[in-house]
Amino acid sequence: MSETETRERTTRATDTDTSNLKWLSGFVSLIGAWIFISAFVYPTMSMTSYWNNLIIGAAIFLVAGYNYYRMSKGLSTSIGSSSFVALLGLWMILVPVVMDVGTAFWSDIVSGVVVALIAGYNAYAGREARAGAPAGTA
């Protein structure tokens, strides 16, 4: 295989991976919106849990949305923002242990797991893409 063919194949693989990362960031942003809205959906939350869901949900929505916007403009993923969102997802997993969340127990845990996994993957794959190797290879 010639060098040009190798370069084109790598470029196509990287473009596809970037597109996937963009849509994953958009999905995480929507989960952040759900966490925000869930503060109004579940009536038996404590006031602390209510404010936690509002603040953390808004932060996930905005930061993951920023990453989506960034990638839709052709820029690479922000590893720092993806890592921050992954940490916020881990926090959402711990929330039911730390505070009384009432009926939002499983919603917070499942949302936190999905956010942490996808944002963590985005940070990892973005690091790989930035290093010049196609994501998923190392």
Side-chain angles (χ1 to χ4, degrees):
M1 193 177 332
S2 73
E3 183 178 330
T4 304
E5 289 173 338
T6 304
R7 202 174 306 142
E8 286 176 5
R9 178 177 280 168
T10 302
T11 301
R12 271 181 281 169
T14 303
D15 288 344
T16 302
D17 292 336
T18 302
S19 175
N20 290 340
L21 294 179
K22 177 177 80 169
W23 291 112
L24 288 173
S25 288
F27 181 67
V28 169
S29 183
L30 291 176
I31 295 172
W34 163 248
I35 293 169
F36 181 87
I37 292 168
S38 72
F40 303 104
V41 172
Y42 297 108
T44 60
M45 283 184 158
S46 68
M47 195 54 112
T48 308
S49 180
Y50 171 82
W51 282 107
N52 178 73
N53 278 22
L54 287 179
I55 293 167
I56 300 300
I60 291 172
F61 175 76
L62 293 172
V63 176
Y66 163 75
N67 226 2
Y68 174 83
Y69 173 78
R70 183 181 164 87
M71 287 186 277
S72 68
K73 295 296 181 188
L75 300 171
S76 64
T77 185
S78 171
I79 299 167
S81 64
S82 291
S83 300
F84 178 64
V85 170
L87 288 174
L88 292 176
L90 291 174
W91 170 249
M92 286 306 296
I93 295 169
L94 293 175
V95 163
V97 175
V98 177
M99 50 184 89
D100 178 31
V101 294
T103 54
F105 181 86
W106 286 109
S107 175
D108 284 352
I109 289 177
V110 170
S111 297
V113 167
V114 172
V115 166
L117 288 175
I118 294 175
Y121 172 75
N122 272 358
Y124 172 76
R127 181 185 58 85
E128 290 294 323
R130 187 170 285 174
T137 62

